[in-house]
Amino acid sequence: MNLELRHLKVVCAIAETGSVTKAASQLGLAQPALTAQLQRIERTLGGPLFERDRRGARPTALGELVLSRARVLLPAMKGLQDEAARLAGATDSEIMSRYRIGALGGPILGGMVYRLSMAQPDAQITTHASYYVEELATMLQGGKLDYAQVGVCGDAMPAADYGLVWQTVAVDAVCVLMPDDHPGTKQIDVDLAELAHEQWVGSTGDGCFAECFAAACARSGFTPRRVLETDVRGCVDMVESGLALGLCQPTFRPPAGLTSRPIRTAPLRWRQVIGWHPESPAARSAPKLIEMAVAAYQEVVSRNPLYVEWTKEYPHLGGGSVENMTPLSMS
C-alpha cells in the first residue's frame, strides 16, 4: 500500500483526540474501519504508531516521526490547493455559484443582492455586516469573503496593507439630515457655516471621517461640537428629537418628518467602493458585480431628485457607467 495524505490525516486525528474511537467519530468513520486502516498504515511504515491502553492512544517514537512530517505536509498541501484554486478560478465555469458579500450597509447592497439573485436564482448568497472597513478587508484577505462593499472618506481608498483590489462605484457629497421644518431645508443645499451652533451625530465606523469633518468646519470658520456616534436608528432618533443634525449619504431614505440636503460646495465626500482579492475566483465575476452595484446606486440615488439636480453643478460627483468607473486600485 502506498502512503497517501488521507492516511496522514488519520494519524493526526488519532494523535489529536488521543483515541481511535474519538478519531473515528471526528472523521465520520466506523471505529472498526479506522482500526483496520491504522493497522494497514502501520504495516506500510514498518511498526506501531501508537501505544494503546485504557487511557487512550499515545504516539510511539515512530508515530512522533510520522506526525512531525504530517504536520508540515498537510498544511503545505492545503496551501497549494488554495493557491491553485485562486489561480484557476472556477474549474468548470467562470460563473460563481456562491457569493459571500461583506458590507457596511446601505441600499446599494440590497439592490446588488437583488440583481444577483435575479441573474442567478440558484446561487448561494450570504452577507456579513460590519461597521469597520478594516474588519471586512481582513476577511477578504483571509478568504472568508468574496467581496466587500464599503465607504471611505473623500479621495481615500482602504488601507494599502491587504493586497486587495478596490473599485469605485460612486462618489457623493455628504448630506445633512434634519427635520422638515429646519431653516436649512429652504434651499437646495446648506452652508456649513450657518450650522456652526448645531450638535452633530453620525454612524459608527473607522477611517478619517471625523477628522475630515472637523477640517471642513475649520475651513468654514468654526470648531464643531464633538460628533456623537451611534447606529443608524440612533442617528434618526436624535435628529427626530431635535437633539442633533445627522451626517448621511444622499442614498439614505429619510423617514417621514426628516429630509436631507447636500453641504454647499461639497467640502465632504463619500466614496462607495467594492473590493476583492485579485487572485481569487471572485476576480472573474467582479465586473458583473460592479455593474450591478452601479445600477443599484443609480436606482437608489434617483429617489433623491433634489440631489440629482444639485449634482449637475458638480460633475465629479455621482456614479457613472461601468466603462467610466475609476480604474482598479490595489490596496
Side-chain angles (χ1 to χ4, degrees), residues 159-221:
D161 303 330
Y162 300 97
L164 304 174
V165 172
W166 298 95
Q167 185 159 337
T168 299
V169 173
V171 179
D172 278 314
V174 172
C175 297
V176 178
L177 183 66
M178 62 189 88
D180 287 343
D181 58 359
H182 190 281
T185 64
K186 294 178 180 179
Q187 299 186 57
I188 196 171
D189 57 15
V190 292
D191 185 346
L192 193 57
E194 294 178 358
L195 305 175
H197 63 285
E198 299 282 1
Q199 174 67 64
W200 299 91
V201 64
S203 296
T204 302
D206 51 13
C208 60
F209 183 77
E211 291 80 4
C212 291
F213 176 66
C217 293
R219 291 193 296 272
S220 293

Side-chain angles (χ1 to χ4, degrees), residues 41 48-49 68-69 96 108 115 178 191 199 208 218 259-260 282 286 312:
I41 295 170
L49 301 181
S68 67
R69 299 295 192 273
M96 293 174 62
I108 291 179
R115 286 167 172 77
M178 62 189 88
D191 185 346
Q199 174 67 64
C208 60
T259 191
S260 68
K312 292 178 180 179

